[in-house]
Amino acid sequence: MKILKNIKLLCALLCIAALYSCDKYLDIQPVGKVIPRTAAEFRALLTQAYSYVPSDRGLATFRSDEMTMDGTLAAEDLNSYKDIWIWNDVSPSENTTAFSWRSFYHTSFIANYVIESKEMIEEGTVDEVNQMVGESYMLRAYMHFLLVNLFGEAYTNCDPATTKAIPLKLNSDTEVTLSRNTVAEVYNSILSDLAEAEKYLNVDQWDLGYNYRFNTLCVNAFRSRVYLYMGEWAKSLEASQAVLQVNDQLVDMSSSTVLPNEYNSPENILALEQVMTAQYVRAAKVNTTLWKMYTSSDLRRSKYFNQVTVSNILVAKGGSNQYSCSFRVGEIYLNAAEAALMTGESAMPAARTYLLTLIKQRYKAAAYTEKETAINAMGRDELLQEIYDERTRELAFEGHRWFDLRRTTRPRLEKTYSGTTYVLEENDSRYTIRIPSEAIEANPGLAN
């Protein structure tokens, strides 16, 4: 019965693949077979899994301090996002956009099926099959990573060994009732999947348009972030260094017409997620506090944003799949800087070097000289704050800020709408999003 049920579900997935054409960005036509058999058919199935990856890192941006909402926005946008913006998780409007709990597990189901089917895939070379299996391990790990950082406590803010988070789904059996695993169990599974993926991945770089697929460099790029979130500083630094040994290219903001988070940027390591969708960008007005963090000598100010009036500032680095980016080199430099600093005083010069290498490509020449002098004079705590501030500036509206707030200072935030002030207190429990009620209704055990 379990096998039959899995086959029926897979048939449904492939029927969907047959009915809908792929985005031009993916540039692949899905296969209309009922049960995948050949490498080409499994590749089409995996392509469909990639297309299901949610844009929830962008949706979580509404919870951060990057954007503001006011009465000038369309009613549709206010109804969709205001309750997320003011952290109203108890009684949100029925029109509030939901986080994509089901889509994460939908994607994982396909990844699990590909992994389990490794020995049955026909008409493909060993390298082709292995590459798909490696991508599937990466995809499963990434879905669990996003889930645990949306719906579980931050690793650095709890006892990971005892704090329950989200269920792990490590097979394609749809009849098993899942229960919540601990934060530590989820992170251990992610790291285990990365180790498995490393055994199978064999494509170092995909052609543009296909670089939504995981490649060999993604393993250490992903490790760099995972270990950073765990506070495993030496391991995060080691993974970051491994990435930079292969690709240390940064966009020169003084001359490039391509932004760092565009899919065709030399910085782009994985162009999977369109973090800020057209809908999110339409509703996103840049918080003036964030805007003021960019000096007039910061080249990102005019390239990341569109200033219409003094208080009406719009996001320019999103809104289409041109800005598809999950991992990029700029983030890796920042991970390396933070990780190096946190390993101890002896690594402070390295932390400064990583940070200065990045910002040299982001500021006008004269301003960079001033920044260099200031950063070289900073003590440990001041330098850490500067790294945090540069993360805020560099990675704005790329889906990092909410996760960074959760794992670091978890500050008190205030937002005002139509004369009413809403507060997220320091270390507020709402730094962790509730598991959706429909998921709990389907599986009451998730409430425990």
Side-chain angles (χ1 to χ4, degrees):
M1 283 295 295
K2 291 180 181 178
I3 294 174
L4 180 59
K5 190 169 184 179
N6 285 355
I7 289 175
K8 286 181 178 178
L9 182 53
L10 194 61
C11 289
L13 293 179
L14 285 168
C15 285
I16 293 172
L19 288 171
Y20 293 91
S21 63
C22 288
D23 192 288
K24 289 181 181 178
Y25 172 71
L26 299 179
D27 200 28
I28 290 177
Q29 292 300 316
V31 177
K33 300 286 185 179
V34 175
I35 301 296
R37 180 179 60 83
T38 67
E41 291 164 356
F42 272 95
R43 171 53 75 186
L45 181 62
L46 191 53
T47 297
Q48 202 66 23
Y50 278 122
S51 73
Y52 293 146
V53 174
S55 57
D56 281 18
R57 283 203 299 138
L59 188 57
T61 298
F62 285 91
R63 296 180 77 88
S64 77
D65 54 357
E66 292 174 290
M67 68 172 65
T68 188
M69 301 189 79
D70 60 32
T72 66
L73 294 173
E76 176 187 351
D77 293 329
L78 288 170
N79 291 336
S80 297
Y81 308 118
K82 183 189 169 190
D83 280 325
I84 299 173
W85 183 69
I86 63 174
W87 315 290
N88 178 18
D89 302 333
V90 176
S91 56
S93 161
E94 62 181 10
N95 296 316
T96 298
T97 300
F99 284 87
S100 308
W101 178 271
R102 181 173 297 191
S103 294
F104 286 112
Y105 287 103
H106 191 150
T107 303
S108 293
F109 170 82
I110 298 177
N112 284 325
Y113 187 84
V114 175
I115 291 168
E116 293 166 0
S117 302
K118 176 179 178 291
E119 303 302 329
M120 298 182 290
I121 300 175
E122 303 173 7
E123 298 179 18
T125 67
V126 171
D127 281 350
E128 287 173 335
V129 173
N130 284 345
Q131 175 65 27
M132 287 191 289
V133 171
E135 290 175 49
S136 297
Y137 275 114
M138 293 292 288
L139 196 54
R140 183 172 76 181
Y142 197 51
M143 293 304 95
H144 285 143
F145 179 77
L146 295 178
L147 280 164
V148 76
N149 280 286
L150 289 168
F151 303 105
E153 283 283 350
Y155 194 98
T156 51
N157 191 60
C158 67
D159 178 355
T162 59
T163 304
K164 289 185 178 180
I166 54 98
L168 285 167
K169 184 56 181 169
L170 303 175
N171 58 55
S172 62
D173 188 341
T174 58
E175 292 195 349
V176 173
T177 300
L178 300 177
S179 58
R180 294 166 67 197
N181 293 85
T182 66
V183 172
E185 287 171 338
V186 176
Y187 270 83
N188 288 339
S189 177
I190 291 166
L191 292 170
S192 175
D193 277 352
L194 290 179
E196 287 301 307
E198 197 166 32
K199 298 175 185 177
Y200 292 103
L201 292 171
N202 52 73
V203 174
D204 295 332
Q205 184 175 350
W206 292 100
D207 292 337
L208 287 179
Y210 294 94
N211 54 333
Y212 63 89
R213 300 172 180 174
F214 289 98
N215 58 42
T216 55
L217 192 58
C218 290
V219 177
N220 278 317
F222 195 174
R223 281 189 181 126
S224 170
R225 190 186 297 175
V226 172
Y227 283 128
L228 191 82
Y229 282 30
M230 295 175 72
E232 293 278 0
W233 309 116
K235 292 179 179 179
S236 179
L237 179 58
E238 181 182 11
S240 301
Q241 290 170 334
V243 173
L244 296 176
Q245 286 172 4
V246 178
N247 183 1
D248 62 356
Q249 294 184 72
L250 289 166
V251 168
D252 182 350
M253 298 288 280
S254 66
S255 58
S256 177
T257 58
V258 175
L259 293 183
N261 68 316
E262 293 187 54
Y263 86 99
N264 57 338
S265 162
E267 289 193 29
N268 208 319
I269 297 170
L270 179 69
L272 174 55
E273 296 157 281
Q274 184 192 153
V275 177
M276 291 298 293
T277 66
Q279 291 77 17
Y280 299 165
V281 167
R282 186 184 63 200
K285 298 180 70 174
V286 179
N287 190 319
T288 54
T289 301
L290 170 62
W291 170 250
K292 290 174 182 177
M293 289 182 70
Y294 300 85
T295 68
S296 58
S297 298
D298 191 327
L299 297 165
R300 293 168 295 195
R301 190 183 198 196
S302 61
K303 296 195 174 185
Y304 281 9
F305 309 109
N306 227 341
Q307 186 178 25
V308 181
T309 66
V310 172
S311 59
N312 186 14
I313 304 149
L314 308 178
V315 179
K317 57 188 301 195
S320 74
N321 56 19
Q322 178 75 18
Y323 303 93
S324 295
C325 185
S326 296
F327 296 103
R328 67 176 175 90
V329 174
E331 179 203 349
I332 303 301
Y333 272 104
L334 289 163
N335 293 353
E338 182 179 344
L341 180 63
M342 298 298 281
T343 59
E345 283 193 26
S346 62
M348 281 184 65
R352 290 191 181 99
T353 298
Y354 288 123
L355 183 60
L356 289 168
T357 300
L358 171 69
I359 66 177
K360 187 175 185 178
Q361 307 301 322
R362 304 302 192 241
Y363 287 84
K364 294 177 182 177
Y368 170 73
T369 300
E370 293 178 10
K371 291 286 290 186
E372 182 181 30
T373 301
I375 286 171
N376 282 330
M378 289 178 180
R380 188 261 185 196
D381 291 345
E382 194 178 3
L383 181 57
L384 179 60
Q385 186 58 55
E386 184 66 20
I387 292 169
Y388 287 165
D389 288 347
E390 270 304 321
R391 284 188 72 89
T392 304
R393 287 186 281 259
E394 174 67 15
L395 303 176
F397 295 96
E398 292 184 43
H400 294 274
R401 181 61 176 166
W402 176 247
F403 288 176
D404 280 344
L405 289 171
R406 281 169 35 85
R407 71 177 180 85
T408 57
T409 58
R410 302 168 67 88
R412 184 179 189 272
L413 301 180
E414 282 190 11
K415 296 176 180 178
T416 301
Y417 179 82
S418 191
T420 301
T421 298
Y422 302 90
V423 177
L424 185 71
E425 297 291 354
E426 183 178 1
N427 288 318
D428 200 299
S429 62
R430 289 172 294 173
Y431 268 109
T432 299
I433 299 170
R434 294 182 172 199
I435 293 175
S437 56
E438 58 268 25
I440 294 175
E441 289 172 6
N443 180 1
L446 297 178
N448 302 318

